[in-house]
Amino acid sequence: MPQTHHEEGKLSPAYEDYIEAIYRLCEQGGGSCRSVDVAETLGFSKASVTRASKNLREGGYIEQERYGLISITPKGAEYGRLIHNRHRALRSFLEDLLEVDPETANEEACMIEHCISQETTERWISWMETCRGCQHRRES
């Protein structure tokens, strides 16, 4: 069985990508999504999604009947929301403040989001909001 955790309570980067994709698709799809949609979103095979879904189900992050729709549990939704918000904040920082092109910003945000803690993310977002406030006041 693949390693789902690299430290206690934290999914590996690959599983964080799965849970983030499932979270976003479930938000868009009224609470559930299909394995094929996860595969298409991530560019993975349906077999890979099936294996990951089994492990995420065993970890309590998702629910899925055999060959049925995937729904995200409260535990999975919280984790997915944290990763998604971290990704959005990183992408925004790279695009808006560093003026990185959108495609590169999105790819690099995906790489960075797995390397920083939630505490650092919260401090960094607070700093970004302060910077934007200062910039807005200078422009006024």
Side-chain angles (χ1 to χ4, degrees):
M1 182 162 96
Q3 184 74 22
T4 56
H5 295 80
H6 60 274
E7 66 182 61
E8 189 60 38
K10 183 163 171 46
L11 294 172
S12 69
Y15 281 91
E16 285 186 347
D17 286 342
Y18 280 109
I19 202 70
E20 180 185 11
I22 291 167
Y23 168 77
R24 287 185 17 245
L25 289 166
C26 286
E27 286 288 301
Q28 297 165 1
S32 62
C33 64
R34 301 176 311 159
S35 293
V36 67
D37 296 326
V38 177
E40 287 176 7
T41 296
L42 295 173
F44 296 160
S45 71
K46 192 165 180 311
S48 294
V49 173
T50 300
R51 281 190 301 275
S53 294
K54 177 184 179 288
N55 291 327
L56 291 171
R57 189 175 55 252
E58 289 172 358
Y61 295 97
I62 65 169
E63 294 177 346
Q64 182 183 26
E65 296 296 323
R66 188 168 173 88
Y67 303 112
L69 292 175
I70 298 170
S71 60
I72 197 157
T73 65
K75 176 182 177 179
E78 178 62 23
Y79 203 107
R81 185 174 20 266
L82 289 173
I83 297 300
H84 182 62
N85 289 343
R86 186 179 300 159
H87 181 100
R88 286 182 22 219
L90 283 160
R91 188 183 63 227
S92 175
F93 172 75
L94 294 170
E95 281 184 42
D96 300 343
L97 296 174
L98 299 184
E99 299 179 349
V100 173
D101 74 88
E103 185 176 334
T104 301
N106 192 55
E107 289 171 7
E108 292 181 354
C110 191
M111 289 185 276
I112 297 167
E113 72 190 17
H114 306 295
C115 301
I116 61 174
S117 70
Q118 187 58 30
E119 180 182 353
T120 300
T121 300
E122 290 168 4
R123 288 177 182 221
W124 171 65
I125 289 171
S126 177
W127 175 82
M128 275 185 27
E129 289 169 351
T130 301
C131 285
R132 284 190 175 137
C134 292
Q135 183 179 20
H136 178 69
R137 283 191 293 275
R138 274 185 266 146
E139 292 173 354
S140 299

